[in-house]
Amino acid sequence: MSSSSTRRWRTMKKLRSLWVKIALGFVLVALLAVGLVGVLANRATTQQFQVYISQGRQMRASRLAPEFADYYARTGSWAGVEAWMADLNAQPMGGRGQGRGPGMLAGIGATPDRLLLAGPGGEVLADSLGRLTGETLSEQELDFGVPVAVDGQQVGTLLITAPTDVHQTLEAQFIQDVNRSLWLAGLLAVAVALLGGLLLARQLTAPLRALTDAAQRLAVGKGQTDGVDSVPQVQVRSQDEIGELGQAFNQMASSLAHQETLRRNLMADIAHELRTPLSVIRSDVEALLDGVYEPSLENLASLHQESLLLSRLVDDLRALAQAEAGQLRLEREATDLSALLERVLAGFECTTDSQSQALCLDLPPDLPPVEADPQRVRQVVANLVSNAQRHAAGAGQIRISALPRGESVQVSVSDNGPGISPSDLPHVFDRFWRGSSSRAEGSGLGLAIARELVRAHGGEIWVESTPGQGATFHFTLPQAQRD
């Protein structure tokens, strides 16, 4: 890839980065907000400015209306009013006179605005600019005027308007000043939004970049083969959604590393478990072929026993894989759990020899039936009893009990063996785990299979143990629905 292509690719990558998008989003929102506020403020200001100007002119017209009424009362008509009004409007805005002389008119009436006097019928009698004299105003236009009344009778309407060019100039200047202020405020708001957006985007994307880096290191396998302590982790600095994402990633990375360790241990354990019976079978077969052993029933029975062990191990692995994948088929039916437990115990040899364990069954008379696959439940109970026999004391006791618990039935298998250490409790249901005190006994799949079978029934399985006081395994099964 050429240097120009590399620079172009890096530029496009930066533009596609999340922090750039967030910053641009802040700027866009700020621009939209400022633009919308500017438009609304401009319209509102223009309208209010016009209302203000109109109200001011009406107030001035109200102050001038008595002077026009006095003029009409003195002359008896509006004859000559246009010249009088022009003289009034031309007076400079200055001192206030006394009484109703020209000085008073100058103080009140001197204004650059345009004066209109309309008669009772709306015809324009006088115009300070001399343009509308003789024309008729509409009712809407007359509504902006102030009535001129003499002796309780309206003799005219006084209107004050601005010359068109002057009004537009003042309004445009005012709106221009307002718009300039809005532009300055908008630019300042956009600059603040851009700065805040950049800082916030950096702050938001920093943990995401760290998370991406850790995910990439996890994707290439770093930490999965070096132990749990070297698993890529991210530093969680907040308790918000990003912090929760970081915690979830750390848990996922640790879980993946743990699963990878279990997978390697599984492969090693499977190879170890398969190697022993295969080695025995191969050596015995070679001895038979070489004539060292004779093909007697005893030697053939030994080969058969090893083949059964190998077949059972393969069947256990297959059942465990199906259960973990959710592909295990269950033939559910209403099952008499009391009768099932009695049949399971009948399959185990019960002796009264002082060196053998005693199996005891403790069941209530009204134990409700369960909705389960009888064959799979027998396998669970048999695995738990076999595990108890291996770990119980030589002359110990194994007790199987069951009690209804809400909508489920809880089955318990207890022994009085040495118990399980607290450090081993989290691993008792792991595949090929046999415990530190009995590593050489069993295949280590029985409890893992029991857990998956119970889960497939929708139940739960757990263990309680105190070192030196034995262990108790519990599992639940759903009660059968009563008709």
Side-chain angles (χ1 to χ4, degrees), residues 32-33 51-52 65 79 89 149 172 304 307 329 354 420 443:
L32 292 176
V51 170
Y52 172 77
N89 204 40
H304 183 258
S307 65
R329 296 184 59 185
S354 61
I420 305 173
S443 65

Side-chain angles (χ1 to χ4, degrees), residues 8-202:
R8 190 182 304 109
W9 178 80
R10 290 178 179 175
T11 303
M12 294 299 296
K13 184 177 180 181
K14 290 181 179 180
L15 292 177
R16 291 195 300 265
S17 62
L18 182 59
W19 76 269
V20 173
K21 294 179 181 179
I22 294 177
L24 292 178
F26 273 93
V27 174
L28 179 60
V29 171
L31 289 175
L32 292 176
V34 169
L36 181 60
V37 170
V39 171
L40 295 179
N42 182 272
R43 292 187 58 185
T45 303
T46 302
Q47 293 175 356
Q48 292 300 319
F49 180 71
Q50 292 174 348
V51 170
Y52 172 77
I53 294 297
S54 177
Q55 290 178 346
R57 290 174 181 143
Q58 285 184 334
M59 291 178 62
R60 290 195 295 272
S62 298
R63 296 168 62 186
L64 287 174
E67 305 301 328
F68 280 80
D70 183 65
Y71 176 86
Y72 187 89
R74 286 188 284 107
T75 62
S77 68
W78 291 118
V81 70
E82 191 166 13
W84 176 82
M85 187 171 62
D87 181 66
L88 171 67
N89 204 40
Q91 295 294 329
M93 296 183 67
R96 296 175 177 268
Q98 299 294 328
R100 296 188 178 274
M104 182 65 180
L105 297 178
I108 299 177
T111 172
D113 289 335
R114 181 181 189 177
L115 302 181
L116 293 176
L117 178 64
E123 69 280 4
V124 178
L125 303 176
D127 181 2
S128 61
L129 295 182
R131 298 176 183 175
L132 298 179
T133 304
E135 296 187 11
T136 303
L137 301 180
S138 64
E139 293 183 1
Q140 290 80 4
E141 292 172 331
L142 291 174
D143 289 339
F144 290 98
V146 175
V148 178
V150 176
D151 296 333
Q153 182 179 0
Q154 183 176 350
V155 295
T157 302
L158 177 62
L159 297 92
I160 297 182
T161 63
T164 305
D165 53 348
V166 175
H167 181 269
Q168 289 181 347
T169 301
L170 293 176
E171 184 182 50
Q173 182 64 35
F174 179 79
I175 297 302
Q176 184 178 2
D177 293 340
V178 172
N179 289 338
R180 184 182 298 110
S181 300
L182 289 176
W183 273 109
L184 292 177
L187 291 177
L188 180 61
V190 171
V192 173
L194 179 59
L195 180 60
L198 290 175
L199 295 177
L200 183 59
R202 283 288 187 181

